[in-house]
Amino acid sequence: MHAKAAANAEIDQFRREIAAAILSEIEGLSVREAEALTGLRPITISRLRRGLAREFALEGLIGAAMKLGLPVKIYIGKRPPPKRTDGREGTRRPKKTRADQIV
């Protein structure tokens, strides 16, 4: 359950970042002007301005950002190695090189 909560927190962070980028682009515009640029409904724009980004699908926010011409890139990488839980993290000795063995 802990992994699922962490994943949801990361997705919420993505939503907040995309919403912030959209809001910075439509700052100073009326709801109707923002609607024309983003393709979002006026109620959606109003909710974004009130900080309610968690209510929206990530795909919709990404689509609105792309309509505004914002660059959107998603990177999927390798998983980081698991952290040790036995208290020995970072205790490996460096490998000896040939120069170390001669001395």
Side-chain angles (χ1 to χ4, degrees):
M1 192 68 167
H2 179 66
K4 187 175 181 180
N8 287 339
E10 286 186 26
I11 291 171
D12 286 343
Q13 179 62 31
F14 294 147
R15 281 188 187 110
R16 285 191 296 274
E17 289 176 16
I18 295 169
I22 291 169
L23 290 172
S24 69
E25 289 293 313
I26 63 172
E27 186 176 347
L29 299 177
S30 71
V31 173
R32 297 293 177 187
E33 291 169 330
E35 176 186 19
L37 292 175
T38 63
L40 297 174
R41 294 183 0 220
I43 189 69
T44 303
I45 294 166
S46 177
R47 287 182 179 153
L48 278 176
R49 287 181 172 169
R50 287 185 285 149
L52 303 174
R54 287 187 73 186
E55 295 181 3
F56 306 111
L58 196 54
E59 294 87 356
L61 292 173
I62 291 171
M66 292 174 70
K67 285 181 182 177
L68 285 168
L70 296 171
V72 177
K73 294 184 181 184
I74 299 173
Y75 296 99
I76 306 296
K78 291 183 179 179
R79 292 181 186 201
K83 295 203 177 217
R84 294 185 70 149
T85 58
D86 60 0
R88 297 189 59 184
E89 185 175 346
T91 59
R92 293 186 94 169
R93 293 183 183 152
K95 290 186 178 183
K96 291 186 177 183
T97 61
R98 187 158 176 85
D100 293 334
Q101 294 173 353
I102 296 174
V103 176

